[in-house]
Amino acid sequence: MAVLDPDPVVTRLRSAFNHDADRHRLLTMAAALLREAGEPYTSVYLYMLHGDELVLEAYSGRETDHERIPVGKGVCGTAVATGEDQNVGDVRARENYIACNLFTRSELVVLIRRGSEILGQIDVDSDQVDPFTSDEVAAVRVVAEALAVLL
Ligand code: SME
């Protein structure tokens, strides 16, 4: 069982889209609704791909200084460079981790893809060690797939 139930999140996003919500509004809603799932979700960041950089377009939770991350750098940039989602159970074990604060212990990055194109990613931080089960990853992926259609 996942903590996140993605279906109501997707319903809310589709409804906002049908009421002419723009891209920023959809991304901000997605960040807030994902974070509302509660523990282990601490902060949620929507980084979108602009050329060879990820740009922070919306977030919910702790502020970050990392508004731009080059492809290939950190956990976020690695997801884009490899085309693979990243489930990092313990960020202290990752050499290329870019720390935003001292409390985050784990990070999940799920790519937002439209066909073969990577549009961006959902980046979830948690203060818990290794909290993201395969069910949890699948739940976040449902939201990423919905966003890929709506953006
Ligand atoms: N930890 C990320 C950077 C983004 S912040 O967590 C918001 C990384 O290593 O790419």
Side-chain angles (χ1 to χ4, degrees), residues 4-12 14 139 142-143:
L4 173 71
D5 179 359
D7 295 340
V9 175
V10 170
T11 301
R12 296 269 301 270
R14 286 194 184 131
V142 170
V143 178

Side-chain angles (χ1 to χ4, degrees), residues 43-45 47 54 56 62-66 69 73-78 91 94 96-101 104 107 109 121 123-125:
S43 300
V44 179
Y45 306 89
Y47 283 101
L54 287 160
L56 183 65
R62 295 192 184 114
E63 282 183 24
T64 176
D65 289 339
H66 305 118
I69 300 173
K73 301 288 181 193
V75 176
C76 294
T78 298
V91 295
R94 271 291 275 263
N96 63 350
Y97 173 66
I98 301 169
C100 292
N101 59 74
T104 300
E107 177 163 9
V109 174
Q121 61 188 221
D123 173 25
V124 184
D125 280 7

Side-chain angles (χ1 to χ4, degrees), residues 2-45:
V3 171
L4 173 71
D5 179 359
D7 295 340
V9 175
V10 170
T11 301
R12 296 269 301 270
L13 291 171
R14 286 194 184 131
S15 168
F17 177 83
N18 289 334
H19 290 84
D20 295 328
D22 64 10
R23 172 186 173 99
H24 181 66
R25 174 88 188 120
L26 289 170
L27 292 173
T28 301
M29 278 184 69
L33 291 169
L34 286 164
R35 184 174 168 237
E36 273 175 24
E39 287 294 326
Y41 294 70
T42 307
S43 300
V44 179
Y45 306 89

Side-chain angles (χ1 to χ4, degrees), residues 78-140:
T78 298
V80 178
T82 61
E84 303 274 348
D85 295 344
Q86 305 284 307
N87 187 358
V88 180
D90 184 351
V91 295
R92 294 179 191 177
R94 271 291 275 263
E95 271 179 22
N96 63 350
Y97 173 66
I98 301 169
C100 292
N101 59 74
L102 297 173
F103 309 107
T104 300
R105 293 301 316 278
S106 56
E107 177 163 9
L108 170 66
V109 174
V110 173
L111 291 167
I112 302 170
R113 302 168 182 275
R114 187 184 291 150
S116 59
E117 185 190 3
I118 294 174
L119 302 183
Q121 61 188 221
I122 298 172
D123 173 25
V124 184
D125 280 7
S126 175
D127 291 356
Q128 297 178 17
V129 175
D130 208 11
F132 300 113
T133 62
S134 55
D135 283 352
E136 204 65 56
V137 177
V140 175

